[in-house]
Amino acid sequence: MKDIVVIKLGGNALQSLTDIFYTKLRELQNQYGIIIVHGGGPQLDEMLGRLHIKTSKQDGIRITPKETMEVVSMVLAGSINKEVVCQLQKEGIKAVGLSGCDGELLCVTPLNKEQFGYVGELQSVNVPLLESLLQQGMIPVIAPIGVDRSYDRFNINADSAAAGIASFLQAKQLFFFTDVPGIMEKDTLLTSIDKGYIHTLMGNGTLAGGMIPKVEAALKAIDHHVQEVCIISCLAKYQKGIGTTITKGVNVQ
Ligand SMILES: Nc1ncnc2c1ncn2[C@@H]1O[C@H](COP(=O)(O)OP(=O)(O)O)[C@@H](O)[C@H]1O
Ligand SMILES: CC(=O)N[C@@H](CCC(=O)OP(=O)(O)O)C(=O)O
């Protein structure tokens, strides 16, 4: 079995994937088993708006009542997942779309039903299912929706789903592709950051919004022995030394 690389594509990143990305993906696929986890936050905001359903987030996590969950399924497991799969196939890359419901891929428990509604916390991943797809040279493309024991569907923050999947698979690398060059402090890109400094930046408000679940997910993955975790721009050339690498140890900045 090849080493595994998990790539998380944020909703903004999905809209600006370049030829460089697909070329790099093909190269990586020669060496690694690749798993893609996608988000779709901005697309969800847009669809909820069109349907006149009010929505809000707390620390980057969407409050998800039942009615919102229907739209989450529709947008993430429906249109976005299929769009990513078709785009990859158009580029000659074999891909299979899944949500966490399929084959009980992502099993969850509620994060806090009173506070967040149908938001799930990942408890287990159907690793053999992913391995069998990887063995056939497929890229599993995963929408961040999970099921609980009663087969109710839950919304999972895509960063936390990607980190959980990378942890369960003991992935070598986890990349968060997003719409910023990495973690910024004022106007400076931090090329490397550790746990302690992340907490400092959270405390002083430098890290906000969607960056909070992203760094929390990154730290979780590092704690679960994912060897390398990096936050980078979807427009970057995807080489070593770009973006922000999250480390466990002493901050080298
Ligand atoms: N210190 C920071 N450095 C970089 N981005 C930050 C920071 N704090 C907050 N952000 C915000 O986090 C966003 C990335 O998170 P998010 O929108 O959830 O992306 P994605 O859709 O890729 O998961 C950036 O667009 C930026 O607005
Ligand atoms: C629970 C929760 O917050 N789920 C996210 C799932 C999509 C996501 O994470 O998309 P991005 O990666 O584009 O932000 C949401 O509803 O927006």
Side-chain angles (χ1 to χ4, degrees), residues 60-248:
I61 302 293
R62 189 181 306 277
I63 315 282
T64 310
K66 192 89 182 165
E67 187 189 28
T68 303
M69 189 59 224
E70 290 303 316
V71 183
V72 170
S73 288
M74 185 172 108
V75 172
L76 298 185
S79 54
I80 295 186
N81 189 268
K82 299 313 136 200
E83 206 172 302
V84 176
V85 169
C86 285
Q87 197 56 42
L88 290 169
Q89 290 179 153
K90 203 167 146 189
E91 296 289 334
I93 299 165
K94 288 197 275 179
V96 171
L98 296 162
S99 79
C101 314
D102 300 294
E104 297 179 45
L105 178 60
L106 307 178
C107 294
V108 301
T109 51
L111 179 62
N112 178 336
K113 222 167 180 181
E114 276 188 8
Q115 194 178 353
F116 291 105
Y118 287 83
V119 172
E121 196 167 22
L122 193 59
Q123 299 299 331
S124 66
V125 174
N126 186 341
V127 173
L129 175 58
L130 293 178
E131 286 177 345
S132 69
L133 292 169
L134 291 173
Q135 268 158 8
Q136 293 175 62
M138 301 279 182
I139 295 187
V141 176
I142 302 172
I145 289 169
V147 280
D148 73 355
R149 281 201 197 149
S150 319
Y151 296 97
D152 280 330
R153 277 169 287 165
F154 283 75
N155 185 7
I156 314 174
N157 171 271
D159 296 320
S160 112
I165 292 165
S167 303
F168 275 102
L169 285 159
Q170 294 286 284
K172 193 174 168 67
Q173 293 170 316
L174 167 61
F175 291 98
F176 294 97
F177 276 83
T178 185
D179 61 342
V180 284
I183 296 179
M184 310 296 292
E185 188 178 17
K186 301 203 174 89
D187 288 334
T188 306
L189 170 69
L190 303 181
T191 54
S192 168
I193 189 168
D194 73 357
K195 210 177 199 170
Y197 204 54
I198 282 177
H199 286 128
T200 305
L201 295 187
M202 274 195 206
N204 69 19
T206 301
L207 293 175
M211 197 47 81
I212 292 177
K214 209 178 295 302
V215 293
E216 282 174 343
L219 290 175
K220 218 177 247 182
I222 290 285
D223 280 344
H224 286 89
H225 311 296
V226 176
Q227 283 175 34
E228 193 182 338
V229 180
C230 191
I231 299 173
I232 83 173
S233 161
C234 57
L235 300 174
K237 281 201 175 163
Y238 200 61
Q239 63 210 14
K240 265 211 169 313
I242 50 163
T244 303
T245 300
I246 317 291
T247 66
K248 220 178 190 180

Side-chain angles (χ1 to χ4, degrees), residues 27-69:
E27 276 171 36
L28 278 174
Q29 226 192 342
N30 292 331
Q31 205 181 337
Y32 300 104
I34 309 287
I35 291 172
I36 291 179
V37 180
H38 63 79
Q43 294 86 340
L44 270 170
D45 287 337
E46 204 255 334
M47 182 57 80
L48 289 163
R50 265 162 59 184
L51 297 171
H52 307 290
I53 298 172
K54 284 210 172 84
T55 190
S56 64
K57 287 187 175 180
Q58 200 174 316
D59 289 336
I61 302 293
R62 189 181 306 277
I63 315 282
T64 310
K66 192 89 182 165
E67 187 189 28
T68 303
M69 189 59 224

